[in-house]
Amino acid sequence: MRGLFLASACVCVLAVGVICVFLFANGLPFFRAYSPVAFVSGTEWAPLRDVFGILPMIVGSFYVTFGALLLGAPVGILTAILMSRFASRPVVRFMKPAVALLAGIPSVVYGFFGMIVLVPFVRHAFGGTGKSVLVASILLAIMILPTIIQTAEAAISAVPGSYYEGSLALGATHEGSVFRAVVPAARPGIVSGLVLGIGRAIGETTAIIMVAGNNPRMPGDILKGVRTLTVNVLMEMGYAADLHRESLIATGVVLFVIVLAINFLFSFINRRRVQQ
Amino acid sequence: MKLRKILALVLALTAVSAVALAEFDASKTIAVVSREEGSGTRGAFIELTGIATKDAEGKEVDNTYAEADFVNGTSLVMTTVAENEYAVGYASLSSVLHNESVKSIKVDGVEASTENILNQTYPIARPFNVVTKGELADPLAKDFMAFVMSADGQAVVAEDGLVPVAADAPAYTAANLSGNLSIGGSTSVAPVMELLVEAYSALNPNAVLDVQSTGSTAGVTGALDGTYGIGMASRALKDSEKEAGAVGTAIGIDGIAVIVSPVNPVENLSLEQVRQVFVGEITAWADLNQ
C-alpha cells in the first residue's frame, strides 16, 4: 500500500522533472546561436531576418496579467468574503457550483466569448480594432476569478470562530469584525489565491490569442494590441523552422523561468510573514 | 410592469445599435488583419504587393503594419474580417470563393476569380512552376509530370488551395515505373509537391521520389546542373535562366484575395493602395478616395 502512495507521488515529481529537462535541453541550444541578452532585451521580432527580441512579449505578458489582477482581485476577494461571511445559505448553495462552473469552462470558449462579445463592444465604445490589452485583461480577470474566489473563500472560512466572536465581544460591528479581524488573519491564503491566479493568467494562451491582436511590438496604449509570451509560441509554431523554431522553444524557457521566479518570490514573502 | 419596461429599453437599444452597425462610417480607422510570421500566404502576399522590401544587405524586410491584428490561420482571418466592418485582410482565393461572410474586393479593377488568375490579369497571384532543363528525357520524370498535369494530379493541386492550370486534363494511368527522382526548390511549392509525390507513390509503389525545399533559385540552378530531376520555383523564370535552358511549366497558380466585410462599400483598390493599407501608410477608409 505504501508503495502505491509512493508511486503516485513519483508520477507527479517525475512529470515536472521530465518537462524541465526536455524544455531546457531543447531550448538552450538556441542561446549558442543567439545571445540570451539580445533575446530578452531586444525589442524587434522579425524571425525571417533572424532578429529575435522578446522584450515586447515579456512586457506584454506582465501587462495583461497586471490588468487581470487589477480587475479580478477586488471582485474575487470581495466575492469570497461575501460567500464566507455575509451570504445566506441558499445563496451560497447557488454560488458555489456557479463559481465551479466558471472554472470548468474551456479557455477556447472564453476566447470565443471575448471575440464575439467583448471585442465588438470595446470597438464600438472606445474605438480602435477592439483587440486590445483591455479586452485581454477583462477576459483574464474573469478566467482567474474562480481560482481567487475558491482559494480565498477556503482561507476565510478556515479562520477560527474565536477571532470573529472576540471582535464582536469588544463591541465591533459584523462588517468591522470581518474586515479587521477575519480577513487579515486569512491573508496568506488570499495571497496564495492571487499567486495561483497570476500563474493561470500568465500561462493562458488560447483565449488570449483570439482577443489580443498579437502585435510583436512594445505594448503601450490599453486600447491597442499586445502579444504575450505564450501567444508567441503557439502562434508561430505551425510554420516555424530551424532557428525560428528554436527561438519559440527558448521563449517557453523564458516563460518557465518567469513563472518559477514568481512562485519562489511569493513563497519567500509568505514564509517571512509567518516567521514574523 | 417594471420588467416589461426594461425589456422594451433593451429592445430599443438593440435596434439603435443595429442601425449604427448598418451604416459604414468611412472616417473610421482601417483594421488591418494579417497572418503570423512564417505563414506562406503572408510571404506570398508581402512579396506580390510590395510590402516586402530589401535592406542594404539584400535581406527581405517585412514592412507589415505593426498595429495590424495578427491571427494564425485562414479561417481566423475570415472570422475576424466578417465580424468587423472596418477590417481588411487577405486569404488564399480558394478559401474565400465559397465563403459568404466576407467580400473579396477587386484589385486594379480586376475581380479575384479563378478565371482572372488563369488569364493573368489579377495581380496578386503567382505561378507554382516546375523547372526542367529542356525536354525531359528520364521516363520516370516524364511519367510523374504526366501525372501532375492529369485530372488526378490537378485535383491534388486544387485540394491544396491552388488554381489548377489544366481544366480538362485526361485521367492518369499508372505506368508502374521504378527508379529514383529527386525534386527540389521553392519552399512554397514543396508542400503541394509532397502531396503530389504521395499520391503518385501510392499508384507507383516502386518509384522513389524525394522532395527538398531549398528555395526557388536553388530549384532552378539544381534543375540546370542536374542535382534535381525536376526543380520547383514559385516565381516566373528570369531571362538569364531561360537562356541557360531552363523550361518552366506552371502546375497551379496561387491566388490571394483581399477581403473586407460585406457591409463595407469599398469595391476596388489599386495594388498600390493595398500596399499602403497593409504597411500602415493609409489608416482611415476615407483616405482611400476610390
Side-chain angles (χ1 to χ4, degrees):
Chain A
M1 209 55 205
R2 202 188 144 95
L4 186 67
F5 288 134
L6 195 69
S8 305
C10 282
V11 169
C12 180
V13 175
L14 202 70
V16 174
V18 168
I19 289 173
C20 275
V21 168
F22 272 79
L23 192 60
F24 281 95
N26 285 295
L28 292 182
F30 172 75
F31 294 119
R32 245 177 269 148
Y34 202 83
S35 142
V37 177
F39 185 57
V40 295
S41 67
T43 56
E44 198 192 2
W45 177 260
L48 299 186
R49 273 186 294 136
D50 286 346
V51 177
F52 305 98
I54 60 162
L55 188 63
M57 287 74 131
I58 296 176
V59 175
S61 274
F62 279 107
Y63 201 171
V64 295
T65 304
F66 179 72
L69 211 59
L70 205 64
L71 297 168
V75 177
I77 294 171
L78 291 179
T79 308
I81 295 173
L82 171 93
M83 282 169 70
S84 172
R85 300 285 159 167
F86 287 91
S88 63
R89 195 164 288 201
V91 173
V92 175
R93 207 177 290 156
F94 167 75
M95 283 189 74
K96 274 209 167 161
V99 171
L101 191 65
L102 202 60
I105 298 173
S107 48
V108 67
V109 175
Y110 276 106
F112 204 66
F113 166 75
M115 196 171 157
I116 300 300
V117 179
L118 294 178
V119 168
F121 172 75
V122 168
R123 181 168 64 239
H124 289 127
F126 305 110
T129 67
K131 296 207 177 183
S132 55
V133 175
L134 181 65
V135 172
S137 296
I138 295 174
L139 199 63
L140 277 179
I142 302 173
M143 294 180 77
I144 64 174
L145 269 184
T147 315
I148 298 177
I149 294 173
Q150 286 170 342
T151 322
E153 200 260 345
I156 295 167
S157 296
V159 173
S162 55
Y163 282 51
Y164 173 72
E165 284 153 14
S167 174
L168 278 190
L170 288 171
T173 58
H174 175 60
E175 284 80 11
S177 305
V178 169
F179 282 99
R180 295 285 170 83
V182 176
V183 172
R187 198 189 284 160
I190 296 176
V191 170
S192 56
L194 294 181
V195 176
L196 286 175
I198 291 176
R200 168 115 210 239
I202 213 163
E204 182 49 49
T205 319
T206 321
I208 298 306
I209 209 169
M210 295 166 85
V211 300
N214 313 319
N215 314 68
R217 50 104 183 89
M218 280 309 256
D221 195 330
I222 186 167
L223 291 175
K224 289 203 167 150
V226 62
R227 181 182 291 196
T228 65
L229 288 166
T230 51
V231 163
N232 196 41
V233 178
L234 180 63
M235 179 150 217
E236 296 187 356
M237 210 42 148
Y239 287 102
D242 310 328
L243 199 60
H244 185 189
R245 187 186 174 83
E246 286 175 21
S247 78
L248 296 182
I249 300 171
T251 307
V253 172
V254 171
L255 181 70
F256 191 73
V257 170
I258 289 175
V259 172
L260 273 185
I262 291 174
N263 277 328
F264 277 125
L265 186 73
F266 275 90
S267 66
F268 177 70
I269 291 172
N270 255 353
R271 199 175 306 147
R272 254 186 44 179
R273 182 168 294 129
V274 170
Q275 278 166 0
Q276 278 170 0
Chain B
M1 195 57 207
K2 203 176 173 189
L3 191 72
R4 202 175 290 171
K5 257 189 191 161
I6 294 172
L7 210 66
L9 191 70
V10 169
L11 278 178
L13 278 177
T14 323
V16 168
S17 57
V19 171
L21 278 180
E23 268 176 42
F24 187 83
D25 180 1
S27 67
K28 291 270 181 154
T29 310
I30 303 172
V32 177
V33 183
S34 175
R35 289 289 302 279
E36 75 279 19
E37 288 265 359
S39 142
T41 314
R42 173 162 165 179
F45 185 75
I46 62 168
E47 202 176 293
L48 293 165
T49 51
I51 293 167
T53 51
K54 298 258 182 209
D55 67 6
E57 295 161 32
K59 273 189 176 177
E60 196 170 74
V61 181
D62 184 339
N63 296 306
T64 302
Y65 190 30
E67 293 306 325
D69 180 1
F70 294 97
V71 300
N72 61 335
T74 304
S75 52
L76 259 180
V77 172
M78 291 199 281
T79 324
T80 310
V81 171
E83 179 265 341
N84 183 351
E85 60 268 42
Y86 302 107
V88 60
Y90 56 86
S92 135
L93 183 71
S94 59
S95 43
V96 173
L97 277 180
H98 306 291
N99 194 311
E100 301 283 312
S101 65
V102 294
K103 179 175 84 173
S104 71
I105 56 177
K106 294 176 184 163
V107 177
D108 283 342
V110 183
E111 195 181 329
S113 66
T114 312
E115 202 177 41
N116 289 336
I117 281 178
L118 281 177
N119 65 27
Q120 300 187 351
T121 48
Y122 184 72
I124 313 178
R126 55 176 180 170
F128 278 4
N129 282 320
V130 292
V131 187
T132 52
K133 187 176 183 182
E135 285 289 302
L136 280 174
D138 176 28
L140 177 61
K142 249 182 168 167
D143 187 55
F144 178 68
M145 279 311 294
F147 168 74
V148 170
M149 303 311 280
S150 74
D152 308 67
Q154 290 292 298
V156 174
V157 167
E159 208 168 294
D160 195 48
L162 303 176
V163 176
V165 280
D168 305 309
Y172 168 79
T173 24
N176 217 349
L177 300 174
S178 56
N180 291 304
L181 177 62
S182 183
I183 304 168
S186 162
T187 52
S188 304
V189 187
V192 66
M193 189 57 81
E194 273 164 16
L195 292 177
L196 285 164
V197 164
E198 198 178 301
Y200 182 79
S201 304
L203 297 169
N204 301 275
N206 295 324
V208 180
L209 292 84
D210 75 297
V211 180
Q212 299 174 9
S213 41
T214 46
S216 292
T217 305
V220 178
T221 341
L224 286 175
D225 68 18
T227 316
Y228 303 132
I230 293 176
M232 303 180 284
S234 58
R235 56 169 170 79
L237 296 188
K238 292 172 189 158
D239 287 339
S240 60
E241 291 167 343
K242 284 182 188 161
E243 277 159 25
V247 179
T249 316
I251 59 166
I253 303 173
D254 184 23
I256 300 170
V258 178
I259 52 174
V260 294
S261 153
V263 184
N264 195 320
V266 173
E267 295 288 344
N268 179 37
L269 289 177
S270 70
L271 191 60
E272 172 60 12
Q273 282 176 320
V274 171
R275 187 192 70 80
Q276 286 172 320
V277 165
F278 277 91
V279 300
E281 283 172 16
I282 293 180
T283 55
W285 286 104
D287 295 339
L288 284 167
N289 27 284
Q290 308 107 40

